[in-house]
DNA sequence: CTTGAAATACTACTACG
DNA sequence: CGTAGTAGTATTTCAAG
């Protein structure tokens, strides 16, 4: 009981995560859990036409393998006081490793920062920030964004309408 | 049992969703569920220092009020065959209601489209698309993006490194 | 190696104080 | 909101394909 056992499907050694031996049932399970993970295991088992224990074992295997990163509650942005979404393009002063590292450390601490990515093209970073309204964004802009280290330029794209926002991957 | 009962805190009538009468315990519950919703109700109750039934009632109230939109499983992008993320800025030919509506309908059908928003600034839309690798993105670009209706220009920003990606709102 | 059936332990859920 | 009780589920054990 000391080590967690991973699927020894082939004889070769697999370090931590199996590539993706996903059969049809696994994909059906993942599709369901991506849409609604509050479903009970017995109901899930019925949907994928499996017995409850067999279904539960697959789910736990998918969790242990890292395929399922976690199960979380998604909140309504407006009700959570974060009804405004802003996408921000950032250009750094210098393209040095230190400059990037310093910026990344600071960017993650910006209130309401949901995403931050290094990108190709005319920007170095794209960030998405959730805040209450335009007033609170202006405050955040003046108090935090303008003080991010090593920044040459910041362009803000305010989101006027959210057409689509999902966490579901195609399977 | 015909109507769902909402919190009758004050005597006035509340249509469907109470604004946000969130006390400290509610916020603690939401913080926990945003981080990990696979926790059992008894464990959650212990964390927020409440009895199990009282905790469950709050959670169900938060769900009924729309504050909790849903509980979902988050998958590992790479393991799900969607290791590549691309942010796309779109400029439309004409800024007419018909043009916008037509584009939005088509954009949501693009394979792996995770987000699509109307924005201010030099672009009309920002989209984020998840795909397997650069080959599959090139295919998607040639087969789907170039055929989106009413598009004047598309700029692709490939994500080289994902610094931060969260679904948690600050509370 | 995976599945399915039965048995146990725990949890969610209801009614009441 | 908390306590107690009931119903249902999750989880283990074991046998079979």
């Amino acid at each position: 009981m000391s080590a967690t056992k991973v699927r020894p499907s082939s004889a070769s050694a697999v370090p931590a995560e199996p590539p993706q031996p996903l059969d049809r049932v696994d994909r059906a399970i993942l599709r369901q859990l991506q849409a609604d993970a509050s479903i009970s295991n017995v109901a899930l088992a019925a949907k994928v036409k499996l017995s409850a224990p067999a279904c539960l074992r697959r789910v736990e295997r998918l969790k242990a393998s890292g395929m399922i990163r976690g199960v979380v509650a998604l909140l309504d942005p407006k009700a959570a006081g974060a009804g405004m979404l802003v996408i921000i393009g950032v250009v750094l002063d210098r393209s040095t490793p230190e400059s990037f590292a310093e910026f990344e450390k600071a960017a993650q601490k910006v209130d309401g920062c949901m995403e931050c990515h290094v990108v190709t093209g005319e920007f170095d970073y794209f960030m998405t920030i959730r805040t209450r309204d335009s007033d609170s964004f202006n405050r955040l802009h003046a108090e935090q964004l303008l003080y991010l280290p090593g920044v040459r330029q910041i362009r803000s794209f305010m989101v006027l309408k959210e057409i689509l926002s999902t966490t579901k991957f195609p399977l």
Side-chain angles (χ1 to χ4, degrees), chain A:
Chain A
M1 269 234 264
S2 57
T4 306
K5 202 183 284 184
V6 293
R7 171 139 58 169
S9 54
S10 70
S12 65
V14 181
E17 296 185 19
Q20 28 194 24
L22 289 181
D23 63 2
R24 219 190 176 297
V25 179
D26 284 327
R27 283 199 298 270
I29 290 175
L30 291 173
R31 263 193 299 269
Q32 172 60 44
L33 293 183
Q34 277 194 115
D36 181 9
S38 67
I39 185 176
S40 75
N41 181 60
V42 292
L44 176 61
K47 281 208 173 194
V48 301
K49 303 190 209 310
L50 226 63
S51 71
C55 182
L56 188 61
R57 292 232 294 254
R58 280 179 181 256
V59 171
E60 295 195 333
R61 188 190 305 153
L62 290 167
K63 284 181 181 171
S65 73
M67 174 71 77
I68 297 179
R69 278 193 163 180
V71 175
V72 302
L74 301 180
L75 306 190
D76 179 63
K78 207 170 167 187
M84 185 177 197
L85 180 62
V86 184
I87 299 172
I88 292 173
V90 177
V91 182
L92 294 191
D93 257 337
R94 293 158 294 129
S95 294
T96 66
E98 298 79 20
S99 183
F100 275 74
E102 197 183 1
F103 173 82
E104 289 172 16
K105 204 177 75 174
Q108 298 186 53
K109 294 176 187 166
V110 172
D111 290 332
C113 181
M114 308 298 289
E115 294 190 76
C116 179
H117 305 302
V118 180
V119 296
T120 64
E122 56 186 299
F123 293 107
D124 291 315
Y125 290 92
F126 266 116
M127 303 171 63
T128 65
I129 294 178
R130 283 215 165 270
T131 185
R132 188 183 187 125
D133 48 34
S134 59
D135 278 353
S136 65
F137 176 70
N138 273 326
R139 205 173 312 125
L140 184 130
H141 185 267
E143 294 173 359
Q144 299 187 53
L145 296 182
L146 292 181
Y147 291 100
L148 286 172
V151 170
R152 177 195 299 269
Q153 188 193 11
I154 287 186
R155 286 202 72 108
S156 299
F157 304 91
M158 282 184 292
V159 172
L160 300 177
K161 187 183 176 192
E162 303 189 25
I163 308 299
L164 176 68
S165 182
T166 184
T167 58
K168 294 197 283 195
F169 298 111
L171 289 173

